[in-house]
Amino acid sequence: MKNTILLLSLFLIISCQSVDNRPSIFSKSDEVNFYRVKEESENLLGKDSIEVPKVFTELLFDTEPKELTDFKEIQYLEKYYQKIPLNTASTEKITEIFNDAGFPINKASFGVSSICAPVYRDILVFKKEGKVTAYAKICLSCYKNYVVLENNKFENFQINYEDLHKLLDSLASR
């Protein structure tokens, strides 16, 4: 009986993986571009006399694009969103925040719930050697997000929004 318990305990210890050994999904990126909606772009929505371009409303409100390889909207980002330069420390901090969110996503563990419709005023584009590897659309008002990573699409996975909010606001106010 002792041998069985000892073998079972040894098996459990060997088979368990440390949480610290999980893969760092976003660390493959060597560049992160941060975009925040331009105030004059957002003001287009309040003007009755102006037809708001569909691509802008999709960027701001929809979970678009559906696939990473089809991210043709990136050419419109700088038209409606301000590109905010990131230094190495900011890039590393953003990458750390997203890696700490953890994968695979456990949908049962969501703690944030909100009835607001997200307005994606902040967009992060992760790149490796100039090629888009992932992107994240963030609503800091209701703490919702839409992330595309290779062929996977995720909505509202847990991010440390408090740290992300502080970091993005400090970067945008420079």
Side-chain angles (χ1 to χ4, degrees), residues 26 29 31-32 94 98 124-127 131-136:
F26 292 90
S29 302
E31 178 184 353
V32 178
I94 288 172
F98 275 84
L124 297 166
V125 179
F126 297 81
K127 293 183 176 183
K131 183 180 178 205
V132 177
T133 57
Y135 72 90

Side-chain angles (χ1 to χ4, degrees), residues 33-42 56 60 77-84 120-124 138-141 164-174:
N33 293 320
F34 169 39
Y35 299 89
R36 179 161 277 181
V37 71
K38 293 178 181 177
E39 190 174 325
E40 63 270 13
S41 295
E42 199 165 11
F56 176 58
L60 199 59
L77 278 177
E78 290 187 22
K79 184 173 183 178
Y80 300 108
Y81 286 73
Q82 175 186 359
K83 185 175 182 178
I84 298 168
Y120 300 112
R121 292 179 178 92
D122 297 294
I123 298 177
L124 297 166
I138 312 290
C139 176
L140 292 174
S141 298
L164 184 63
H165 198 157
K166 285 179 190 173
L167 178 60
L168 295 182
D169 282 350
S170 71
L171 294 168
S173 66
R174 287 188 200 170

